[in-house]
Amino acid sequence: MSLDARPGAEQLAVDLLSRTDHGRVATTLRALPFLAFASHIVQDGRLLLRMPRSHGYHHACVGSVVAYGADNLGSAGPGEGLWSVQVVGACESYDPTADQVERFGPAPASMDGESYEPVYLRIEPQLSTVHSADGGLERRFGPTL
């Protein structure tokens, strides 16, 4: 599927992202492409991200248009179709509610040997892509894919 090519693509992308806990945010860092690991939750059609503050990667994301992707390539069960999702949108700092922090689950104690202090971001999806292998999503969600 190309960006916003099919009706319901953005909603399907967000629905699929709600089935995963982690993904990768893509942005630029000093004019070079960059990927960073993040955990996420879906709230009202928006993505809320949690990243480690110690790396400072969030500075490259805030105020920029970023891409965020996740998939089930390593976790698909027998008979479950493979899928990959990417959303693109503006990224901003975010102050989550206590309920949202709880939905993220426990944060790691450390990341790369440093104490983990979370920073939270929000992405408002503007464009999306959904790719699936072997018709798994079409069988599950119908012919609109």
Side-chain angles (χ1 to χ4, degrees):
M1 174 185 333
S2 61
L3 295 179
D4 281 341
R6 299 186 208 177
E10 189 172 308
Q11 184 60 49
L12 177 58
V14 170
D15 289 347
L16 289 169
L17 284 170
S18 69
R19 298 172 183 209
T20 64
D21 297 328
H22 297 84
R24 292 160 230 61
V25 62
T27 189
T28 57
L29 184 62
R30 293 186 287 280
L32 296 173
F34 184 76
L35 289 174
F37 168 84
S39 58
H40 70 268
I41 61 171
V42 176
Q43 180 76 44
D44 299 326
R46 295 176 183 90
L47 289 175
L48 304 182
L49 307 183
R50 180 177 69 190
M51 301 174 71
R53 183 178 302 277
S54 61
H55 290 92
Y57 300 150
H58 61 287
H59 293 296
C61 298
V62 173
S64 298
V65 173
V66 301
Y68 187 79
D71 56 58
N72 74 339
L73 301 179
S75 63
E80 184 180 356
L82 298 176
W83 55 264
S84 175
V85 171
Q86 174 181 280
V87 296
V88 176
C91 183
E92 60 188 10
S93 293
Y94 187 73
D95 187 20
T97 65
D99 179 58
Q100 291 166 338
V101 170
E102 186 175 318
R103 286 183 53 210
F104 274 102
S110 65
M111 178 70 74
D112 298 328
E114 295 185 36
S115 181
Y116 188 94
E117 180 186 348
V119 63
Y120 296 91
L121 307 174
R122 180 172 67 183
I123 300 172
E124 178 82 36
Q126 300 298 311
L127 303 170
S128 61
T129 60
V130 177
H131 296 285
S132 67
D134 299 327
L137 291 178
E138 289 83 351
R139 285 191 302 276
R140 183 173 184 108
F141 294 103
T144 59
L145 292 175

